[in-house]
Structure formats: structure tokens, C-alpha cells
Amino acid sequence: MTSPTPDALLGPADVRELAAALGVRPTKQRGQNFVIDANTVRRIVRTAGVRPDDTVIEVGPGLGSLTLALLEAADRVTAVEIDDVLAAALPATVAARMPARAGRFALVHSDAMHVTELPGPAPTALVANLPYNVAVPVLLHMLERFPSIERTLVMVQSEVADRLAAAPGSKVYGVPSVKANWYAEVKRAGAIGRNVFWPAPNVDSGLVSLVRRAEPPKTTASRREVFAVVDAAFAQRRKTLRAALAGWAGSAPAAEAALVAAGVSPQARGESLTVEEFARIAENAQHTEKKEPGQQ
């Protein structure tokens, strides 16, 4: 692999100069906060454990701060960018600052939520500074659509990082926690200060590591069926599961039957259940549906 020049990464002056040349101002609408510190992006790449044989997908590359650091370490990088101006400019930035690596870079100009296929080899890692307003849906979409992604490291709002990595019983354990855990082992992987961004956000940021499970929880229910139980359980999180799942199951007694069959207390609340327990409830709902009145 050809070594990049020492000044290949973007510093604060580079970011502002590039933004000014493009007429770009970060927008709150798209949750844009550009990283201006080269040490931070190198730290992210190290924490992500990016290897020389990795094909990395990056969502929301912006001006390319993290992109360039990823290209230093990975075999290939594919960036997904929705912004017209940023998407048009990024290949030129890569070519100018890392010409020897430009052939290993691909850009997909699209909304990440609409991406269903990528050019080149299947991605093995996802590393991204995710736009705060869409971080969770984008993360879950990528994990669903690209099962080849083994390792993920995302930078998100600290509060979102806490939710993603929360364990059952925690006050912030909820839908993102359970759904992320369906795909991966999830943990907090560090904090990021506000002063490494331009503009500096009003919230702290955190890194979340997700290592893909060898296989999802063993269950006869589909992912969609399990996630439907999760959504229903947390839509009214203060209610007992018997009450919260009544609409999903068709009635409170039907919900109770599914819960008892799954070995879960009808008086429990969603925040106390593991993803495996949600899967058992979904399984047993299937069974109760087969035993409606009049059926043998």
C-alpha cells in the first residue's frame, strides 16, 4: 500500500477553505457537523480496527475528513453522500490529497436509507460520523441490507450512543438497543469532544462499536415479526407487557397467552427483556394465532 503524504488529512484551515470554495455551510436539517481534527479521525479508524483488507462503507462523508483517514488504513472505501455539492466535490478532494489511493475510492450519491446495493466488493466494515437526526434508522438499515458488514463503529450523539449500547433494565434501554442487539454485540467505545467539529454541536458525541453476531437469535419468528413486538412493547413503555402488547396481539388475553407461553411475566415491562425474550414472544404469538376458537 502506498503511504499517503503527511498532510493528506484535513485540518481546521483545510476544512474551512474547502467549505468556502464550495459555498458550503453545514446545515442543521441534515445534521451536519464536520470533523476538523486529524487526530480524531485517526483515533476513530484505530478504534474501528480497520484492516488493510477491509472494504469500508462510510455514510455522510461530508468534506472527507474521515474518508481520507479510512483510505490510509483500508483496502477500499465507499462513501454514501446525499448532498449534491458534497457528493460532487469529494472524489476531487480524494484525488488531490491521496492520488495513489483514489482508485480505491467510490462514491454513491444517494440517501443512505435508499441504498440497497454498493459498487465493488461487499463491505466488511461500516465506519461513519452519522448525521444525528437519522443515525439510528441509517445504522439499522445498513446492518439489515449488508450482512457482510462484520464490524461497525459509528459516531453519534452521546445520548443515542447510550441508548444503542444500553442493557436490559437500564432507563435508556429501548427500541434502538434491542434492534441493534439483534444484529450485533454493542458497546460504547469512547467519547468525542465538541471542539473537534465545525460548527461545534450543542451536544456531546460518543462512539459505538457493533460486532456482528455469527447469527441472529435462534427463533422461528422472522426479524420483522420480532421487531413488531419490540415496537409495540416500547410504544407504551410505562405499561405492563400484557397491556402494551394488547393491540399487537389482538387483545390483552391474547397478549398474556403469548407472554406466558414465552416464559415472560405479563406484568413485566419491555425495558427488562432481552432480544431473545422478544423473539420468544413473537414465536408464541404465531402459535396462539394457530389456536384460535374453532381450530383443533
Side-chain angles (χ1 to χ4, degrees):
M1 185 182 295
T2 305
S3 297
T5 56
D7 61 349
L9 301 194
L10 299 175
D14 300 312
V15 170
R16 290 187 171 88
E17 184 180 317
L18 193 51
L22 297 173
V24 167
R25 290 290 301 176
T27 70
K28 285 187 178 180
Q29 180 187 358
R30 288 186 172 158
Q32 291 170 329
N33 297 93
F34 300 137
V35 182
I36 57 174
D37 181 62
N39 289 330
T40 296
V41 291
R42 283 204 173 106
R43 174 189 162 199
I44 290 170
V45 172
R46 282 197 310 272
T47 305
V50 175
R51 301 189 298 245
D53 60 346
D54 272 324
T55 295
V56 179
I57 179 169
E58 180 191 7
V59 176
L63 294 167
S65 299
L66 179 57
T67 313
L68 294 167
L70 288 168
L71 278 167
E72 281 188 338
D75 182 46
R76 294 174 178 273
V77 176
T78 300
V80 179
E81 177 59 65
I82 189 174
D83 186 286
D84 295 342
V85 174
L86 296 174
L90 188 54
T93 300
V94 170
R97 301 188 77 89
M98 284 188 185
R101 305 291 295 148
R104 296 287 180 171
F105 173 72
L107 183 116
V108 175
H109 181 195
S110 175
D111 181 338
M113 291 298 293
H114 298 157
V115 171
T116 56
E117 58 183 9
L118 294 165
T124 55
L126 166 64
V127 184
N129 168 21
L130 289 178
Y132 288 168
N133 52 350
V134 293
V136 170
V138 165
L139 173 63
L140 295 176
H141 173 74
M142 288 291 158
L143 291 173
E144 178 198 347
R145 294 300 311 187
F146 301 103
S148 61
I149 295 173
E150 303 162 2
R151 287 158 289 116
T152 294
L153 187 80
V154 291
M155 179 159 57
V156 294
Q157 187 174 333
S158 187
E159 186 180 308
V160 175
D162 288 340
R163 285 188 198 140
L164 283 167
S170 163
K171 288 183 179 179
V172 295
Y173 183 75
V175 172
S177 327
V178 183
K179 291 184 178 179
N181 203 241
W182 170 270
Y183 297 106
E185 300 294 333
V186 189
K187 67 177 183 178
R188 280 290 299 252
I192 300 289
R194 303 181 187 192
N195 61 344
V196 304
F197 295 98
W198 173 68
N202 296 322
V203 293
D204 293 322
S205 301
L207 298 175
V208 181
S209 164
L210 301 97
V211 177
R212 172 93 58 176
R213 290 171 175 261
E215 56 185 35
K218 292 188 185 301
T219 177
T220 57
S222 69
R223 178 192 57 81
R224 189 182 299 271
E225 288 165 339
V226 176
F227 282 13
V229 181
V230 175
D231 289 334
F234 287 102
Q236 305 176 80
R237 66 182 297 151
R238 294 193 177 194
K239 291 189 174 183
T240 64
L241 286 170
R242 183 184 191 277
L245 298 181
W248 161 80
S251 69
E256 180 166 353
L259 288 160
V260 170
V264 175
S265 168
Q267 300 309 308
R269 288 174 171 79
E271 64 197 41
S272 67
L273 268 58
T274 64
V275 64
E276 288 81 8
E277 287 172 314
F278 280 111
R280 289 209 306 272
I281 296 168
E283 266 182 44
N284 283 284
Q286 295 172 336
H287 298 159
T288 56
E289 285 166 6
K290 292 173 185 173
K291 298 176 182 177
E292 291 177 357
Q295 291 184 320
Q296 299 299 315

